[in-house]
Amino acid sequence: MTHKIGMRIPPKLGALGMENLADWAKSAGIDVIDVPYYNEEVKGILEGAGLEVGSIDGVGAVGMTNLLSEDEAQRGEAVDALKQQLSSISQLGGKTVFICLAPKDVTLSRDKSFGIWKETFPDIVKHAEKEGVYFALEGWPGPAPHYPTIGCTPEMLRAMFEVIPSNHFGLNYDPSHLVRLGIDYLRFLTEFGEKVNYCHGKDTEILTDDLYEVGILPATFGTKYGFSEGSWRYTIPGHGAVEWEKVAIRLDGIGYQGPISIELEDHRYWGTLEKEQQGIIKAKENLEKIFK
């Protein structure tokens, strides 16, 4: 099965403005753009450039979110804002909402966050079902040393899907996070494949010498590379540990039909517009060998 190649928007490319970004992405052979927000203007620009919208960041649901606040008023405001966004996205024809669930209080334990989530998210997902949109939950574990994000391990995901079995609450499959956490990224697809609503093209290199120095802990005296904690670093697809051919076979096996969307987090292709463009193009070329 062939898949369209998409991209999240890195900062220097984003600074071009949506029209210039869309023109460049189309010329570079990108098919799909993941956007931080979605409105009539963005929809028109993407359609005018012959591009599709991919995932849309959930307002208040990416990074450190009040959706997991212990303050009931803050949590209620965040829930209302997200529901309103789901309705707006649906009216514009959007389908996939990208979320990452880490509390703003990063010291809050994952089990406490899970308890808050269990009370609030079933109603949110019911609203998503009504509006015909799908959540794609990101497995980024969150910042060291607390790693507070819920939904980044099989243990937690099983508990979450027991509470909300709906396919409208699904996963963004990003093997880079699984590799750095020591989780079998292929077995993960075997167990949770039917929940995959979106897929990121990002990789992780395990730095074996640094793994000897610090183990799985973050480096005490700083890291050698950007997008790293010491014993690993994020890379573009094809430059890390992920065997993308095997990922492709398993994605075909579960019937995944969405794009493979490049998330550029690689220190070699960061810091300037030219480096970001080079990184996106190289990542696209590597993914096309397998998914096109």
Side-chain angles (χ1 to χ4, degrees):
M1 182 183 296
T2 61
H3 294 270
K4 295 178 179 179
I5 305 299
M7 60 171 277
R8 285 180 67 81
I9 305 172
K12 300 298 182 182
L13 276 164
L16 294 175
M18 189 59 72
E19 287 190 16
N20 291 329
L21 167 70
D23 289 342
W24 179 84
K26 185 64 176 180
S27 70
I30 296 295
D31 307 304
V32 175
I33 302 292
D34 300 342
V35 295
Y37 59 91
Y38 197 47
N39 55 27
E40 289 284 3
E41 181 183 9
V42 171
K43 180 179 181 180
I45 289 171
L46 295 183
E47 290 179 349
L51 297 167
E52 297 179 13
V53 67
S55 69
I56 302 157
D57 287 358
V59 61
V62 177
M64 311 314 143
T65 174
N66 277 333
L67 289 165
L68 299 179
S69 173
E70 293 185 287
D71 184 300
E72 187 174 350
Q74 287 184 345
R75 190 167 67 247
E77 289 177 3
V79 168
D80 289 345
L82 181 55
K83 284 183 176 180
Q84 291 173 16
Q85 187 194 25
L86 296 178
S87 297
S88 297
I89 288 171
S90 176
Q91 291 170 7
L92 292 169
K95 290 294 182 183
T96 305
V97 176
F98 178 86
I99 57 171
C100 181
L101 295 174
K104 284 193 173 179
D105 177 5
V106 296
T107 67
L108 194 68
S109 66
R110 287 192 295 275
D111 63 330
K112 286 185 178 179
S113 290
F114 173 74
I116 294 170
W117 171 88
K118 185 168 62 173
E119 295 299 319
T120 58
F121 246 78
D123 186 54
I124 294 172
V125 174
K126 285 181 182 178
H127 190 76
E129 290 174 339
K130 184 182 74 173
E131 297 293 354
V133 296
Y134 295 80
F135 283 113
L137 178 67
E138 167 80 336
W140 171 62
H146 299 286
Y147 303 112
T149 305
I150 61 172
C152 60
T153 64
E155 171 198 46
M156 178 65 79
L157 288 171
R158 286 188 206 104
M160 296 173 84
F161 291 138
E162 185 175 347
V163 174
I164 303 179
S166 171
N167 284 334
H168 287 259
F169 180 72
L171 297 172
N172 174 66
Y173 178 68
D174 185 335
S176 70
H177 301 305
L178 299 169
V179 169
R180 61 167 281 199
L181 291 171
I183 297 169
D184 187 328
Y185 62 93
L186 296 175
R187 179 178 172 181
F188 185 92
L189 276 178
T190 300
E191 179 170 0
F192 298 107
E194 66 178 13
K195 295 294 186 180
V196 172
N197 290 335
Y198 211 69
C199 183
H200 274 176
K202 194 174 74 176
D203 215 326
T204 293
E205 179 187 3
I206 300 300
L207 305 169
T208 54
D209 287 344
D210 297 280
L211 184 62
Y212 171 78
E213 291 292 332
V214 302
I216 62 172
L217 300 177
T220 305
F221 304 109
T223 62
K224 296 178 181 177
Y225 310 109
F227 302 107
S228 170
E229 286 183 354
S231 61
W232 56 268
R233 70 178 189 89
Y234 291 141
T235 76
I236 62 171
H239 290 191
V242 176
E243 296 182 88
W244 289 96
E245 295 89 348
K246 294 181 179 179
V247 169
I249 289 170
R250 283 157 178 80
L251 288 175
D252 287 350
I254 64 176
Y256 177 71
Q257 298 180 10
I260 313 298
S261 190
I262 299 160
E263 183 177 34
L264 185 63
E265 292 183 348
D266 187 321
H267 76 276
R268 296 168 302 164
Y269 305 108
W270 199 258
T272 69
L273 175 62
E274 291 73 19
K275 286 182 178 179
E276 287 184 0
Q277 290 172 326
Q278 183 184 27
I280 293 292
I281 290 170
K282 284 184 175 291
K284 178 189 72 76
E285 291 172 347
N286 290 343
L287 291 170
E288 281 181 333
K289 294 173 185 177
I290 298 162
F291 291 102
K292 284 288 192 178

